[in-house]
Amino acid sequence: MWLNLNFLSWLVLIVGAIHCQAYVHHTFVVKETPYTRLCSTKNILTVNGQFPGPALHVHQGDTIFVDVHNQGNFNITIHWHGVKQPRYPWSDGPEYITQCPIQPGGRFRQKIIFSTEIGTLWWHAHSEWWRATVHGAIIIHPKEGSRYPFPLPHAEVPIIFGEWWKQDILAIYDETIFTGGAPNVSDAYTINGQPGVLYPCSKPDTFKLKVDHGKTYLLRLINSAVMDILFFAIAKHNVTVVGTDGSYTKPLESSYVTISPGQTIDVLLKANQKFDHYYMAARAYSAAPGVAYDNTTTTALLEYNGNYTPSSPPSLPNNLPYFNNTNASVSFTSSLRSLADKNHPVSVPINITKRLFFVISVNTFPCPNNSCAGPNGTRLATSVNNISFVNPYIDILQAYYGHVNGVFGTNFPDFPPYLFNFTAEDLPLYLETPRHGTKVKILKFNTTVELVFQGTTLVGGNDHPMHLHGYSFYVVGMGLGNFDKDKDPLRYNLVDPPFMNTIAVPLDGWTAIRFRANNPGVWFLHCHFDRHMTWGMDMAFVVKNGKGRKAHILPPPPDMPPC
């Protein structure tokens, strides 16, 4: 019997080892690294010393492991943005939602489970504002033997938009928390880590994309900016959108792109113009009244290969929308459609069993003696349905899974406590003050959800790029002004709406999404402007287990970071 037990144990170990070898392992070392931009050098937090960080290449349906070693001096978490992580929220990454942070000197092996995602996603830090420099691309190739639903491009190039501050990002964060005011705007935008020729000391290192005339290139656009939605264009070239947020779209030709923080957009670029050099450029879309923004422009170069004398200077895009062009922003986003063919079907929930109406607002809290840096001496805040989210002392997932009482409330409201003219010009001041809370919305497994986000003009209003973890959702409607529950649903697109994980709720407008709650776990919902997330525009869904083991949360790994 002793021999048999030992033989079985040995056999289990061998089979387990063989099974583990089927997975690809990566190592992420988080550490401070000196980088020089805008004529000065500072230490930034990086992964493996790279800015942007290393790209992960996988195939649809893969599972990989990433060993995250924190060799920095600050707590950190890593989120795999847009990866649904079916039944496995333990590696999702948002601090105090699904894990406690990885402390300095600590490590965490994160299991990343890919399922239906295809195209481009990204990873980034999800604690404080470290994602300003801790981020990188995730390239999800088709399964072996499968093809793109568009002609095979000559080359594929990640184009990552970011922001750069001369000041340390932690100092920006700490000052924002301390003063209660708005953060300092960035000193530059970047393309693949470089500001470009319009900034001092930046011309020699400008990112260059060299192309052959007549060939087609797949540009994988990622907006990693911390604070701003961006417009992007290429001088004298159109692009064709073929994917967004890890899902294919119907081809959409456009002279510009609107891309929100957190969002990814795949575009095809045909190198069909005369031999020359052309600027690619990105700048902010920021139409909110009174909200400061970085009004600079980042550039990269598109250079045709060949023997010729390039124009000097190269052409700048003349089709880049102006910073406050809300119509351009909404028009682009509302033109996106799912591919919706026989190989890529859509499954829009039709029979809705849970309707949610989330009012998302910029708010204020009073300060003693009007001593804060917000409007009229207040402290800036944000809210969802008048609740400004507060991080708990341990993560919500651990508390939910371990039945720990007192960590979060389960009565997050389906509707706001006050109904008013959300987009009126003058609103009563009492509406500006929310309540603090750590509350979740409980959903039964397989609930079909319609969620309408409604923006407000409180404290001036703003756009809000909303991101849902653990799911992609169908964007079935969008509009300006107040949502009309009787008229607006009649105009929903239930045939081929885009399938996304991040969607901008337009300034003084609304956006409607639908999804099926078939991924059990704890899943964060938040604005992807980091200042809004920090101020409280967050909540979490708890999706309960379904029937059968295959509809249950998988058990946690043994090395979850301690609280």
Side-chain angles (χ1 to χ4, degrees), residues 62 71 173 235 252 353 425 461 554:
D62 281 356
Q71 295 183 5
Y173 173 84
L252 172 66
T353 56
E425 290 188 10
L554 292 167

Side-chain angles (χ1 to χ4, degrees), residues 356-389:
L356 303 172
F357 188 74
F358 284 4
V359 172
I360 49 179
S361 300
V362 179
N363 305 98
T364 59
F365 284 113
C367 282
N369 302 316
N370 297 328
S371 57
C372 291
N376 301 314
T378 60
R379 173 175 292 277
L380 284 166
T382 53
S383 66
V384 181
N385 279 355
N386 209 47
I387 297 174
S388 188
F389 187 82

Side-chain angles (χ1 to χ4, degrees), residues 15-344:
V15 171
I18 293 173
H19 181 66
C20 284
Q21 288 175 358
Y23 296 123
V24 174
H25 287 71
H26 299 269
T27 298
F28 276 16
V29 178
V30 180
K31 60 182 180 179
E32 290 189 88
T33 308
Y35 268 78
T36 301
R37 298 288 186 273
L38 307 181
C39 314
S40 61
T41 301
K42 69 172 184 176
N43 281 342
I44 63 171
L45 211 58
T46 65
V47 166
N48 298 349
Q50 300 175 42
F51 170 67
L56 296 177
H57 287 263
V58 301
H59 287 89
Q60 187 179 31
D62 281 356
T63 295
I64 65 172
F65 287 93
V66 180
D67 288 313
V68 181
H69 299 260
N70 187 1
Q71 295 183 5
N73 297 315
F74 313 98
N75 289 344
I76 200 74
T77 64
I78 303 292
H79 167 54
W80 318 93
H81 186 113
V83 182
K84 299 179 186 69
Q85 298 279 40
R87 303 170 53 214
Y88 199 74
W90 306 102
S91 285
D92 189 47
E95 186 177 55
Y96 295 111
I97 305 299
T98 61
Q99 70 170 87
C100 289
I102 308 168
Q103 298 171 16
R107 54 164 288 182
F108 180 28
R109 171 169 288 183
Q110 295 187 252
K111 182 179 181 180
I112 319 303
I113 304 172
F114 295 87
S115 53
T116 60
E117 306 89 355
I118 187 74
T120 307
L121 295 174
W122 65 303
W123 58 265
H124 61 81
H126 214 303
S127 43
E128 297 176 339
W129 295 351
W130 292 118
R131 75 174 181 87
T133 56
V134 180
H135 60 254
I138 301 176
I139 311 301
I140 308 167
H141 301 281
K143 294 179 180 179
E144 298 289 346
S146 298
R147 297 181 178 179
Y148 294 131
F150 46 81
L152 186 68
H154 177 65
E156 305 178 12
V157 184
I159 302 290
I160 303 178
F161 306 109
E163 287 170 290
W164 184 269
W165 282 264
K166 293 178 182 178
Q167 193 178 0
D168 184 82
I169 192 64
L170 181 62
I172 301 286
Y173 173 84
D174 287 342
E175 182 180 13
T176 302
I177 298 299
F178 178 75
T179 66
N184 293 337
V185 301
S186 56
D187 296 293
Y189 296 111
T190 58
I191 294 177
N192 288 348
Q194 297 295 341
V197 300
L198 301 181
Y199 299 94
C201 306
S202 301
K203 183 176 181 179
D205 297 313
T206 296
F207 176 75
K208 298 176 179 64
L209 173 60
K210 296 182 180 295
V211 298
D212 292 329
H213 194 276
K215 294 185 176 178
T216 298
Y217 297 80
L218 177 59
L219 307 185
R220 299 180 178 273
L221 310 181
I222 300 169
N223 187 353
S224 72
V226 176
M227 301 298 177
D228 286 311
I229 298 172
L230 296 172
F231 289 129
F232 169 73
I234 304 173
K236 299 185 179 180
H237 292 73
N238 287 349
V239 296
T240 301
V241 179
V242 293
T244 181
D245 284 3
S247 181
Y248 291 131
T249 64
K250 286 183 170 64
L252 172 66
E253 186 173 351
S254 182
S255 61
Y256 70 95
V257 166
T258 307
I259 185 166
S260 295
Q263 193 177 13
T264 64
I265 298 178
D266 292 339
V267 301
L268 295 176
L269 167 68
K270 292 184 179 180
N272 57 6
Q273 298 301 304
K274 73 172 186 177
F275 287 85
D276 209 339
H277 291 183
Y278 302 88
Y279 278 127
M280 302 185 282
R283 67 183 179 200
Y285 159 64
S286 182
V291 175
Y293 69 98
D294 181 347
N295 65 355
T296 63
T297 301
T298 180
T299 58
L301 274 171
L302 177 70
E303 298 182 352
Y304 280 75
N305 294 318
N307 294 319
Y308 60 90
T309 301
S311 300
S312 183
S315 299
L316 277 165
N318 59 12
N319 48 351
L320 201 61
Y322 201 50
F323 77 95
N324 62 354
N325 194 335
T326 296
N327 286 335
S329 175
V330 173
S331 175
F332 175 86
T333 303
S334 60
S335 297
L336 298 171
R337 299 286 185 270
S338 282
L339 185 55
D341 63 14
K342 65 178 182 179
N343 295 320
H344 308 92

Side-chain angles (χ1 to χ4, degrees), residues 354 356-360 383-389 409-416 435 437-442 451 525 536-541:
K354 174 60 71 174
L356 303 172
F357 188 74
F358 284 4
V359 172
I360 49 179
S383 66
V384 181
N385 279 355
N386 209 47
I387 297 174
S388 188
F389 187 82
T410 59
N411 58 339
F412 191 90
D414 293 359
F415 300 93
R435 295 180 294 127
T438 306
K439 297 179 183 293
V440 304
K441 184 67 194 173
I442 304 288
L451 168 54
L525 172 71
M537 193 174 286
D538 328 319
M539 58 83 65
F541 288 105

